[in-house]
């Protein structure tokens, strides 16, 4: 490995040598702890057969370890100022650097060109200002992914991995659960970054399902129901959904949840993904039979 960037003095020297000014708006908090980086690679179970996609290499601290451990790494960085630094810190034959905004990259093309349709693991210390858009884009584009192992704010990690009934449980938890099993791997204190963020972080591992955990007759209706259920969190499921999703009729939803044996005053936060799927499929059956009449 070229000079080990996880040693704080080396990171500081690199930043000084290149007169690099950190951009707060891009979430530039660089890791300076070798153990945390090893733990990230272990949580992602990276080995020499693996293709890895990294989002936001920064000066290349995690990237160095990924290149040492994986078969191939593609890393997308928005900040072109880092290119000169990468020439020094990332001399790896198995690495492709792409300077672009992750949210704008054509991911299907990138996967076809670089990973030849093989499965990929995402491993990244992602910028916190776009955590959810990044994760949702990775999931919704239905890319050939094995897993997503990312550092996020601790409170976001709790939201992504919580269970029904907990205060952190919300529509994003259910939507993510549809695509992957998510576990909080470990907590990361703010002192392992330069500069230190205001909040603690956590690494989560999302293992993508081969098949979704529930059978849905209409995915869009399911997603609308789930979002609507948490749209007005303090209200009952029926009131929250009918207040936020006009196409779902209040009396029909009430009739369906009663028929399925739920308490008519139940709130969305008490329902599992299986409960939401049951209700969404019943709503779909009802609208299909209404269309046939
Ligand atoms: N991986 C490095 C580390 O662990 O030290 C840096 C992580 S830092 C939290 C996030 C990185 O993402 C920064 O380098 C930042 O410039 C980059 N970034 C921010 N927004 C981005 C975007 N939309 N697309 C790609 N990279 C982005």
């Amino acid at each position: 490995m070229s000079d080990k960037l996880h040693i704080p003095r080396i990171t500081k020297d690199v930043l000084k040598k290149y007169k690099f000014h950190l951009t707060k708006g891009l979430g530039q908090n660089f890791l300076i702890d070798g153990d945390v980086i090893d733990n990230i690679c272990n949580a992602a179970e990276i080995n020499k057969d693996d293709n890895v996609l990294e989002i936001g290499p920064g000066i290349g601290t995690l990237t160095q370890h990924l290149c040492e451990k994986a078969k191939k790494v593609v890393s997308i960085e928005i900040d072109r100022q880092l290119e000169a630094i990468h020439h020094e810190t990332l001399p790896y034959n198995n690495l492709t650097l792409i300077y672009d905004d992750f949210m704008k990259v054509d991911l299907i093309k990138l996967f076809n060109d670089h990973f030849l349709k093989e499965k990929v693991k995402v491993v990244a210390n992602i910028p916190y200002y776009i955590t959810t858009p990044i994760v949702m884009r990775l999931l919704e584009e239905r890319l050939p992914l094995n897993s997503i192992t990312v550092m996020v704010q601790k409170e976001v990690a709790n939201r992504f991995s919580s269970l029904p009934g907990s205060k952190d449980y919300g529509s994003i938890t259910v939507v993510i659960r549809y695509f992957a099993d998510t576990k909080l791997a470990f907590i990361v204190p703010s002192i392992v970054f330069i500069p230190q963020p205001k909040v603690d972080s956590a690494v989560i591992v999302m293992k993508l399902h081969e098949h979704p955990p529930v059978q849905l007759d209409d995915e869009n209706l399911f997603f609308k129901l789930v979002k609507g259920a948490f749209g007005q969190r303090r209200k009952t499921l029926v009131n929250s959904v009918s207040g936020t999703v006009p196409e779902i009729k209040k009396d029909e939803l009430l009739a369906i949840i009663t028929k399925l044996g739920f308490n008519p005053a139940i709130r969305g936060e008490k329902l599992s993904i299986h409960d939401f799927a049951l209700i969404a499929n019943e709503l779909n059956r009802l609208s299909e039979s209404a269309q046939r009449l």
Side-chain angles (χ1 to χ4, degrees), residues 26-31 54-63 76-79 82 100-103 125-130 134 193:
L26 290 178
Q28 291 182 338
N29 301 93
F30 297 153
L31 269 169
E54 185 192 22
I55 300 141
I59 59 172
T61 319
L62 174 60
T63 325
I76 305 173
E77 172 58 59
I78 198 170
D79 189 349
L82 288 160
D100 206 341
D101 179 347
F102 170 78
M103 295 309 292
N125 172 17
I126 52 179
Y128 293 168
Y129 75 103
I130 43 168
I134 288 176
F193 299 93

Side-chain angles (χ1 to χ4, degrees), residues 44-57:
E45 297 172 5
I46 299 298
N47 64 54
K48 273 288 164 199
D49 296 326
D50 286 328
N51 295 301
V52 172
L53 174 67
E54 185 192 22
I55 300 141

Side-chain angles (χ1 to χ4, degrees), residues 100-115:
D100 206 341
D101 179 347
F102 170 78
M103 295 309 292
K104 294 190 182 146
V105 170
D106 179 343
L107 290 176
I108 308 277
K109 184 171 179 329
L110 183 149
F111 273 62
N112 286 340
D113 291 353
H114 293 279
F115 298 125

Side-chain angles (χ1 to χ4, degrees), residues 5-6 17 21 32 51 62 64 125 129 224 241-242 256:
L5 294 166
H6 59 253
K17 176 172 168 191
H21 295 290
I32 44 157
N51 295 301
L62 174 60
Q64 289 186 336
N125 172 17
Y129 75 103
K224 276 184 196 162
V241 171
S242 57
I256 284 171

Side-chain angles (χ1 to χ4, degrees), residues 71-85:
K71 179 172 80 175
K72 186 170 191 348
V73 179
V74 173
S75 196
I76 305 173
E77 172 58 59
I78 198 170
D79 189 349
R80 269 208 169 261
Q81 281 189 84
L82 288 160
E83 195 172 353
I85 297 183

